[in-house]
Amino acid sequence: MRAGHQLHLLEGGGELFPAMVRAIERARHLVHVETYIFEFAGAALQVAEALERCALRGVTVRLVVDGIGTARLPQSWRERLERAGVQCRVYLPLGHLGLLIPSRWRRLHRKLCVVDGLQGFCGGINLIDDLDDVSLGRLERPRLDFALQVSGPLVADMLETMEQLWWRMQAVSRARQHEFRAAWEAWRAGWPALPLDHSPPGRKASPTAAALLLRDNLRHRHDIERAYLRSIARARHEILIANAYFIPGRKLHRALTLAAARGVRVRLLLHGKYEHFLQYHAARTAYRRLLEAGIEIHEYAPSALHAKVAVVDASWATVGSTNLDPLSLLMAREANVVTRDPAFARGLRQRLDHLLQTAGVRIEHEQLRLRPWRLRLFDRVAYAIMRAMLWLLGHRY
């Protein structure tokens, strides 16, 4: 971790989207956005319109969306963005065979935005209205999710990883068109030289230490998982995790149960709404063992939970796009910011504690035991399917 950062926690699109728009409106050189879902409707339209205005004034604007999360940009908006000069790319379009090709299970799940190399945004919030859900439809209450607005040295790391992916996508596209020389040039291409003085004028550098952690299918396969495991192993008092899709593997399950065994209070705030058969039912196979280990499980009741945050001992915290399930930890491109800043960690811990007490429904062991046999069978079937899929990909989890 390096010092010199300012971290501002944003809750939901209601806080993230206006902050992104303000930063985009001040852009002078480059705006680069990556997201899994971009829904051109509702509150997310303000971000699309800001990108359009930014490109029209001559700023380089790049947008990358995932080929499943945003399978198709609306034709009207694609044309508007192209006319404005926004460069749009789709990561791994499914094609005719879709998910029958296992390599296409590897998705772009991270949510990043960098403006001029000076301001960055990282978290779990997709560019979709807080009251819209692709699986649950229109929500009565806003979705619970978090992101960070960041300034400091790690913004350069965010920009570097985004630009590397951008030029690799360019190279692959050229190669598929048999333009091999252009593909080689795209692969080797650099990115615009940007100012990297992260200290606001007249203000001393912040002591806040933070780092950007990535998960990809090359050099950073296990970085985020290892960061979780290290922080859990060092916990002495409390572990708080809010995570949408929680299916812990052997290592994470063991780390949590060992922490509980040495007296650490472990509390989980998880997504309780039914969205997908596999994720919903496979997650519940872990509940019984976790409860037997003394770990508290709460399901978020008011609405959908999409958060991916954690706090350990009110001194270590992470905010990002990574679910604690095999899709995120083994296959998807993810990005998390981690920090050891006590003030930030205490603030996030206070928010999560409040949510657990006021919006979480605690799951008890007896409640699981009394679930209908049909649901318990679904749990086992979903878990078996998940393990079979991982076996096909050659993964142990």
Side-chain angles (χ1 to χ4, degrees), residues 11 141-145 242-243 268-273 287 297-307 351 354-356 358-363:
E11 185 169 335
R141 298 275 298 275
R143 180 189 306 101
L144 179 65
D145 210 343
N243 206 264
L268 309 175
L269 181 62
L270 308 179
H271 181 60
K273 308 292 184 184
Y287 278 21
I297 300 176
H298 304 253
E299 291 185 338
Y300 185 69
S303 186
L305 180 146
H306 195 256
R351 179 60 180 146
H354 176 76
L355 289 168
L356 279 162
T358 61
V361 175
R362 185 163 180 176
I363 305 299

Side-chain angles (χ1 to χ4, degrees), residues 93-102 104-105:
L94 285 183
H96 297 299
L97 295 178
L99 293 175
L100 293 176
I101 301 176
R104 290 181 181 161
W105 299 354

Side-chain angles (χ1 to χ4, degrees), residues 262-280:
R262 63 177 184 267
V264 177
R265 187 182 187 188
V266 182
R267 290 187 288 170
L268 309 175
L269 181 62
L270 308 179
H271 181 60
K273 308 292 184 184
Y274 186 98
E275 287 187 344
H276 308 290
F277 175 83
L278 279 183
Q279 288 167 319
Y280 180 85

Side-chain angles (χ1 to χ4, degrees), residues 111-386:
K111 293 89 181 174
L112 294 172
C113 173
V114 170
V115 178
D116 284 346
L118 302 175
Q119 287 285 316
F121 298 86
C122 176
I125 303 175
N126 287 294
L127 297 179
I128 181 173
D129 193 285
D130 283 342
L131 292 175
D132 287 338
D133 191 279
V134 293
S135 299
L136 300 174
R138 190 69 176 174
L139 303 172
E140 294 184 2
R141 298 275 298 275
R143 180 189 306 101
L144 179 65
D145 210 343
F146 296 96
L148 281 179
Q149 184 171 5
V150 184
S151 63
L154 70 78
V155 177
D157 299 336
M158 294 169 60
L159 179 60
E160 180 179 4
T161 189
M162 296 170 79
E163 294 288 336
Q164 285 179 352
L165 179 61
W166 176 265
W167 292 113
R168 285 171 183 162
M169 291 174 65
Q170 296 286 86
V172 169
S173 176
R174 298 286 177 82
R176 286 175 176 168
Q177 297 170 24
H178 304 289
E179 299 175 5
F180 297 110
R181 184 179 181 84
W184 175 247
E185 291 174 354
W187 182 271
R188 298 181 61 203
W191 40 87
L194 298 173
L196 294 177
D197 180 9
H198 304 282
S199 301
R203 184 180 298 178
K204 293 182 179 179
S206 167
T208 299
L212 177 71
L213 295 184
L214 303 171
R215 206 228 75 87
D216 59 29
N217 297 298
L218 294 172
R219 296 188 303 133
H220 304 287
R221 292 175 180 265
H222 303 292
D223 292 9
I224 294 174
E225 182 183 21
R226 286 170 182 156
Y228 265 99
L229 294 174
R230 281 195 298 268
S231 63
I232 291 169
R234 294 168 179 164
R236 293 295 175 263
H237 305 289
E238 180 186 56
I239 298 169
L240 268 172
I241 297 174
N243 206 264
Y245 303 118
F246 185 81
I247 309 174
R250 294 174 296 107
K251 293 179 181 178
L252 181 58
H253 182 273
R254 177 176 171 79
L256 290 171
T257 55
L258 286 175
R262 63 177 184 267
V264 177
R265 187 182 187 188
V266 182
R267 290 187 288 170
L268 309 175
L269 181 62
L270 308 179
H271 181 60
K273 308 292 184 184
Y274 186 98
E275 287 187 344
H276 308 290
F277 175 83
L278 279 183
Q279 288 167 319
Y280 180 85
H281 285 287
R284 274 140 191 81
T285 60
Y287 278 21
R288 178 181 58 82
R289 291 179 297 156
L290 293 170
L291 290 172
E292 289 173 351
I295 294 169
E296 300 176 31
I297 300 176
H298 304 253
E299 291 185 338
Y300 185 69
S303 186
L305 180 146
H306 195 256
K308 303 101 167 51
V309 301
V311 182
V312 176
D313 287 345
S315 61
W316 179 96
T318 184
V319 178
S321 64
T322 309
N323 291 304
L324 298 177
D325 73 344
L327 183 60
S328 274
L329 294 177
L330 296 177
M331 285 176 273
R333 287 182 179 269
E334 306 284 4
N336 276 47
V337 171
V338 295
T339 180
R340 294 196 190 103
D341 180 56
F344 179 86
R346 285 195 299 268
L348 180 56
R349 187 256 173 211
Q350 184 177 12
R351 179 60 180 146
L352 293 181
D353 181 69
H354 176 76
L355 289 168
L356 279 162
Q357 295 187 39
T358 61
V361 175
R362 185 163 180 176
I363 305 299
E364 303 290 352
H365 193 278
E366 184 68 10
Q367 179 183 347
L368 286 182
R369 192 182 68 81
L370 295 176
R371 291 177 74 223
W373 68 268
R374 180 174 58 89
L375 295 181
R376 285 182 278 130
L377 176 62
F378 287 168
D379 296 344
R380 293 180 179 273
V381 170
Y383 187 73
I385 293 173
M386 184 199 75

Side-chain angles (χ1 to χ4, degrees), residues 105 381-395:
W105 299 354
V381 170
Y383 187 73
I385 293 173
M386 184 199 75
R387 300 296 300 184
M389 293 170 64
L390 294 176
W391 179 81
L392 285 174
L393 290 172
H395 289 303

Side-chain angles (χ1 to χ4, degrees), residues 2-53:
R2 291 170 292 170
H5 296 92
Q6 293 181 352
L7 307 177
H8 180 56
L9 185 67
L10 303 168
E11 185 169 335
E15 293 186 2
L16 172 64
F17 300 163
M20 285 182 66
V21 169
R22 288 192 295 269
I24 292 168
E25 297 289 8
R26 295 192 294 266
R28 298 176 56 194
H29 304 280
L30 173 69
V31 175
H32 199 141
V33 178
E34 289 180 358
T35 186
Y36 182 69
I37 298 173
F38 199 149
E39 183 185 70
F40 289 81
L45 278 178
Q46 61 187 293
V47 179
E49 292 166 350
L51 293 175
E52 180 185 35
R53 291 192 300 269

